[in-house]
Structures are given as structure tokens and as C-alpha cells.
Amino acid sequence: DLDCLKDKKVRLLRKVSAIGSESSDERLKRSITLAQEKGAGAWLTVLPLGSLGWVLNKEEFRDAIRLRYGWQIPNIPAFCVCGKKNSVDHTLICKNGGYLIFRHNKIRDTN
């Protein structure tokens, strides 16, 4: 029933908002706020088209969900190649061995 689904969605959104507003974890609050933005979940419903690079394997999908909600990503090294303690935030900004280098090399190696 459509009305029942709408009611469930409204209740769920209220619960999520309550969790975010009651939490003292600023990172969690920010994750919830961003996840509720219009269009924030559009990537979850995109048709996977390999020719356009719109395909995630299981690990990439898991990591994307974890990034979306600010959860830890398993199996990342304890320390970056630059010598600093590794974290998701560090990996996204490190100029020596993080995601920036990965993106650069991926573009560089494209035929």
C-alpha cells in the first residue's frame, strides 16, 4: 500500500533526524545531513553501465556505503606511505600515497 510506504518513510526519516540531532558525534551528524540532501542517493539507483564506468564491484560498493555514513573502511593500512597515521580523511588528501595519487595514476594510465 502506497500510503503505508509513505508513512514508513516519514517515520524512518524522523528517527534518522533524531539520531543525528541527539548525537554528540559531529561526523555522524554531518553524514546524516549529507545523506538526506536531495539527490544524495541518486548513485544508488543509477543503471550500471560498464561502457561509461558506472559499475561498482562488491568491495567498491561496500566502501562507498561506508564513506557515505562515515564508517571505518576495513583493511586500510595503519600508516600511509608518507609515514603518517592512516585514516579515510588522510587517504583522501595525502599527496604522497592517497586517493589523489590513485586518481592521477588512473587518468595517466588511460589509453
Side-chain angles (χ1 to χ4, degrees):
D1 180 49
L2 190 58
D3 288 334
C4 183
L5 287 174
K6 286 181 182 178
D7 289 342
K8 283 183 180 180
K9 182 178 179 180
V10 168
R11 286 195 309 269
L12 178 63
L13 288 173
R14 285 184 185 148
K15 284 182 183 179
V16 169
S17 292
I19 290 168
S21 62
E22 294 169 4
S23 175
S24 61
D25 183 352
E26 291 301 318
R27 190 178 186 123
L28 175 63
K29 286 182 182 181
R30 180 84 172 133
S31 293
I32 290 173
T33 300
L34 290 174
Q36 291 176 329
E37 292 284 326
K38 183 176 181 169
W43 66 277
L44 294 166
T45 59
V46 170
L47 187 61
L49 300 172
S51 62
L52 297 176
W54 295 351
V55 179
L56 297 176
N57 63 37
K58 289 179 185 180
E59 186 176 299
E60 291 169 333
F61 182 79
R62 181 205 66 203
D63 291 349
I65 292 292
R66 288 177 177 272
L67 283 172
R68 176 182 170 101
Y69 293 108
W71 300 336
Q72 289 295 325
I73 295 179
N75 304 322
I76 62 170
F79 291 91
C80 180
V81 296
C82 72
K84 293 185 180 176
K85 186 169 176 9
N86 208 2
S87 69
V88 170
D89 291 333
H90 179 77
T91 301
L92 293 173
I93 63 168
C94 181
K95 293 182 172 93
N96 294 320
Y99 189 65
L100 292 173
I101 295 298
F102 170 76
R103 287 186 312 184
H104 169 271
N105 292 348
K106 191 171 183 178
I107 292 170
R108 178 197 66 196
D109 298 339
T110 302
N111 292 331

